[in-house]
Amino acid sequence: MSNTLLFNPRTYDPTHFDPETRRLLRATIDWFETRGKKALLRDYMDRTWYADFLEFAAKEGLFATFLTPSADAAGDGNKRWDTARNAALNEIFGFYGLNYWYTWQVTILGLGPVWQSANPETRARAAQLLSEGHVMAFALSEKSHGADIYQTDLILTPDGEGGFRANGSKYYIGNGNVAGLVSVFGRRSDIEGPDGYVFFAADSRHPDYHLTQNVVNSQMFVSEFRLENYPVRAEDVMHTGQAAFDAALNTVNIGKFNLCTVGVGICEHAMYEAVTHAHNRILYGNPVTDFPHVRREFTDAYVRLAAMKLFSDRAADYFRSAGPDDRRYLLFNPMTKMKVTTESEKVIDLLWDVIAAKGFEKDTYFDKACRDIRGLPKLEGTVHVNLALIQKFMGNYLFQPADYAPVPTRLDAADDTFLFGQGPARGLGAIRFQDWRIAYDRFAALPNVARFREQADGLCELLSQHAPDKAQLRDLDFSLALGHLFALVVYGQLVLEQAELTGLDEDLLDEIFAVLVRDFSGYATDLHGKAAATEAQAAWALAHIRRPVADPERLARVWSQVEALSGAYEMQP
């Protein structure tokens, strides 16, 4: 198999997209490559605000084209909200730097409440601002409450004329220094409970909007701001009551998906740099990559990265094909957030173990990658929050399959309108799934797929014969250990589906499942050690530790794919 699986700016040619999408993706790559590595790293280290990038994006109409739904595009046939091409841009941004992705990500979040709204004035305003090159912001978090939307101290007091005066602060708000439109979550002073929630549109340039500080030491601007008697007109209100609450959660659903593909992009660039360095470095008279432990760590990193990309690409299909009768994306979405981002940390750690001191050097992309990669599992809800969410689907996923029409690969130029009409943020327990065993059965001949299937069947046995009691379910330390085991089964399903759709090399696929077998065994060991585990549960855990099926020839063939990355890409100086 060639390394077409990984993004490479030298060879990238997304022929599956329409001409304008291809042009904009290529223009973005060319902008970064023309600036060169030295300028990119210098701006990162000097914490330089990326005004030049925003000027480029405005000139090309990048954000306006990718983030304006067709209904608001005034007849421009190139504008739509297309998760497939948005994911491609996420990956490119990650490849060159998390900070550039962040301003795009926060614009997506800021637009979430807007495009979910039936307010024509605000929708038209947002579309116009995008066309003028502005970015957006999403003001949910507060310093005292974080992203706990049940608590907000930003208060809207009725002004007697159909509008409000807003007072209060927001914290950790990206783009809050320049956003043309800030989607702000608050509550009314005269209505108690959920009926008092309000989402409204503010402008960072207004004199009653006061920018306090950048709360991070970075070239991105993650602001604290306060509103002092800020006038909120009736036409600025996008959502009220329960609809405002739902808009907040549904916006996070839209935004959190982006974290998987930006993590893929970061890891891809880091891998090119790490393999090229190690493969051309002589240590004790031998190339570093001749050492068996180095080959193992590089191969493990490559295999994990391949699985990340396969899962993310397949999850996008479910995201795009979602509707009122198919909400399976609500499981696969937190999986991309929780699982893919933590895998990205593992990839960077494996590479860093090999290149060691090189990973600290200021003139490397890797030095920036190893800092930035830590943020992804912690954004849009922590790993623990998303893992707890994933567990809500465990019973139906494992034991109550339903029939669905096959979900195709979704690379068509369609507007993903359901994302802005997801409806109430409840009813997760009623969501059903296609039988997960189908994907595993199609690859039963691969030894490590078969071995992992044994472990997955064992998880069903654990939950049916030694199910956790109420006390154990309340013990998050115990229940999250179960969640990790379950997440691996879901992860494997979508990896297999994408492998079949793309004709993935079976050597690589079996090595992916060798990793999953090891990971399942690790989580089973962790469960065995939990104080809350019963004797029967602990015995089950030990009984389901497995060794992957080793095949030196298969491993050598996969190593040749890794070795081919040496010199395959190096950024323009």
Side-chain angles (χ1 to χ4, degrees), residues 153-167:
D153 294 332
L154 194 139
I155 306 300
L156 291 89
T157 304
D159 61 7
E161 299 177 358
F164 304 91
R165 289 284 173 169
N167 287 276

Side-chain angles (χ1 to χ4, degrees), residues 77-324:
N78 290 313
K79 291 182 178 179
R80 64 183 183 273
W81 194 290
D82 176 339
T83 299
R85 68 177 185 176
N86 287 358
L89 191 55
N90 284 329
E91 187 175 0
I92 291 169
F93 284 151
F95 193 89
Y96 291 106
L98 182 73
N99 292 332
Y100 298 92
W101 166 84
Y102 184 74
T103 192
W104 147 270
Q105 165 71 353
V106 176
T107 296
I108 287 173
L109 292 170
L111 290 168
V114 178
W115 301 141
Q116 292 177 68
S117 172
N119 182 327
E121 290 86 357
T122 303
R123 294 178 71 103
R125 176 179 159 197
Q128 181 62 33
L129 287 167
L130 280 171
S131 69
E132 294 171 0
H134 289 274
V135 295
M136 313 299 170
F138 181 64
L140 183 66
S141 299
E142 296 179 9
K143 191 170 186 177
S144 299
H145 307 298
D148 179 0
I149 60 179
Y150 294 98
Q151 305 288 331
T152 177
D153 294 332
L154 194 139
I155 306 300
L156 291 89
T157 304
D159 61 7
E161 299 177 358
F164 304 91
R165 289 284 173 169
N167 287 276
S169 297
K170 290 292 181 179
Y171 193 81
Y172 222 83
I173 311 305
N175 291 349
N177 56 326
V178 296
L181 188 149
V182 185
S183 293
V184 184
F185 186 80
R187 61 182 174 89
R188 294 177 57 154
S189 63
D190 58 331
I191 299 178
E192 293 293 327
D195 290 341
Y197 293 142
V198 179
F199 242 127
F200 64 95
D203 187 339
S204 69
R205 298 163 294 183
H206 194 281
D208 296 325
Y209 178 106
H210 301 279
L211 189 65
T212 304
Q213 62 166 325
N214 186 358
V215 303
V216 298
N217 183 21
S218 171
Q219 75 180 111
M220 66 179 74
F221 204 103
V222 185
S223 68
E224 178 183 13
F225 71 81
R226 70 182 188 278
L227 303 181
E228 294 182 356
N229 289 319
Y230 185 99
V232 180
R233 304 165 301 168
E235 56 264 38
D236 296 326
V237 175
M238 297 182 287
H239 304 276
T240 60
Q242 182 64 40
F245 181 92
D246 291 337
L249 291 182
N250 290 336
T251 294
V252 173
N253 282 340
I254 296 166
K256 77 167 64 171
F257 179 77
N258 298 317
L259 278 73
C260 62
T261 39
V262 70
V264 168
I266 291 172
C267 290
E268 286 171 326
H269 196 157
M271 175 156 279
Y272 284 122
E273 198 174 65
V275 173
T276 299
H277 165 73
H279 197 58
N280 292 279
R281 183 173 174 80
I282 304 299
L283 195 63
Y284 306 117
N286 298 288
V288 168
T289 49
D290 280 357
F291 293 100
H293 69 288
V294 168
R295 291 193 174 192
R296 179 190 61 79
E297 289 181 308
F298 270 153
T299 302
D300 200 4
Y302 176 70
V303 165
R304 289 182 184 274
L305 176 53
M308 289 163 54
K309 192 157 189 176
L310 292 164
F311 184 90
S312 300
D313 287 348
R314 186 57 176 153
D317 296 335
Y318 283 92
F319 215 67
R320 302 197 71 195
S321 299

